[in-house]
Amino acid sequence: MKHELPLLPYAYEALEPFIDTLTMQIHHDKHHQAYINKLNDALKNYPELTEKSVEDLLMSLDSVPEKIRLTVKNNGGGHFNHSLFWRVMKPGGGEPSGHLAQSLINKFGDFAKFKVEFSKISNNFFGSGWTWLVANKSGELEIIALPNHDCPIAMGLRPLLVLDLWEHAYYLKYQNRRPEYIEAWWNVVNWEEVEKNYENIHQSKTKLQKCRD
Ligand code: MN
């Protein structure tokens, strides 16, 4: 089984004017595709790994041969992170509601404060990486920024929302103005998808509970 580039769930120009068409084309078709190619290339001599999903690979990096471990971590992370990034955006954006909205209020005070905190962490992050809203092992929400393509699922965290901080994500339109890119990005967050990610955690917890019973 080869890893494949997922289709964008919208057109390249759909996130204009906040994220420009050319950036979306290069980012999806060139950058994301390159991570997948390098991942497939690294795995080609390891048939025992070819049936594993990218999630399984990242969650069990210790079982990946040392020779290709870093390549799988970087490019598998590049594949997983971008796949999630495309899904948590949509034209028109919106606001969180339901269970997730309540959890954001409980943790950060209100939605505006959550946004300020997430943006601050993103602006202050040095170099290439990603900002994440995750649920930790006890289900509590946390904002973290991780370097390169490091992925929270490798640390037992559940990703809900992610923002790409690599320059390739914004340089064509925003050049050195990362704060402007981050501010604009809030207009295209797909909160329904983030809520779905959050509900899935609770469902899988319930399933685990049922298994134990
Ligand atoms: Mn990227």
Side-chain angles (χ1 to χ4, degrees):
M1 181 195 78
K2 278 198 168 186
H3 298 275
E4 285 180 2
L5 184 67
L7 288 175
L8 277 184
Y10 35 75
Y12 295 113
E13 66 272 21
L15 306 180
E16 292 268 11
F18 307 107
I19 301 184
D20 62 287
T21 308
L22 185 59
T23 295
M24 288 303 291
Q25 284 169 339
I26 297 174
H27 200 175
H28 177 265
D29 295 6
K30 307 289 183 196
H31 288 279
H32 190 171
Q33 183 69 64
Y35 297 125
I36 292 168
N37 294 348
K38 285 179 190 158
L39 177 64
N40 284 329
D41 193 52
L43 297 172
K44 70 175 183 234
N45 295 324
Y46 300 88
E48 72 279 15
L49 299 178
T50 53
E51 289 312 310
K52 286 196 169 193
S53 67
V54 68
E55 289 87 348
D56 286 342
L57 288 168
L58 292 170
M59 283 192 288
S60 56
L61 280 169
D62 288 348
S63 65
V64 173
E66 205 182 338
K67 203 176 158 204
I68 59 164
R69 193 175 299 153
L70 187 60
T71 309
V72 169
K73 182 187 179 200
N74 288 339
N75 293 286
H79 178 27
F80 177 89
N81 297 0
H82 284 97
S83 301
L84 180 65
F85 185 52
W86 310 135
R87 286 204 310 276
V88 296
M89 295 190 288
K90 73 165 191 184
E95 289 226 349
S97 60
H99 187 191
L100 175 66
Q102 193 54 51
S103 298
L104 286 169
I105 291 167
N106 294 346
K107 175 72 187 188
F108 300 98
D110 59 41
F111 179 56
K113 285 189 185 133
F114 156 73
K115 274 171 73 172
V116 167
E117 184 66 14
F118 192 100
S119 294
K120 193 172 87 185
I121 288 172
S122 306
N123 283 316
N124 291 342
F125 186 78
F126 185 78
S128 297
W130 300 75
T131 317
W132 300 86
L133 174 66
V134 297
N136 66 21
K137 283 170 189 161
S138 28
E140 201 184 326
L141 297 180
E142 281 180 28
I143 304 169
I144 54 168
L146 299 175
N148 306 315
H149 291 318
D150 289 8
C151 186
I153 63 172
M155 306 160 169
L157 300 168
R158 303 289 296 259
L160 308 176
L161 172 67
V162 69
L163 170 61
D164 193 339
L165 300 175
W166 285 56
E167 284 186 344
H168 67 225
Y170 62 88
Y171 208 83
L172 286 177
K173 184 176 169 78
Y174 297 97
Q175 293 88 45
N176 60 325
R177 305 184 305 277
R178 187 190 272 183
E180 268 182 46
Y181 157 66
I182 293 165
E183 202 47 45
W185 174 74
W186 289 114
N187 291 290
V188 293
V189 174
N190 181 352
W191 285 104
E192 283 156 28
E193 188 68 23
V194 182
E195 274 160 41
K196 221 189 285 170
N197 295 336
Y198 193 47
E199 294 310 321
N200 284 342
I201 295 174
H202 292 92
Q203 276 164 15
S204 58
K205 273 210 178 126
T206 318
K207 266 185 220 152
L208 282 176
Q209 200 67 46
K210 275 184 189 147
C211 291
R212 276 199 289 271
D213 295 347

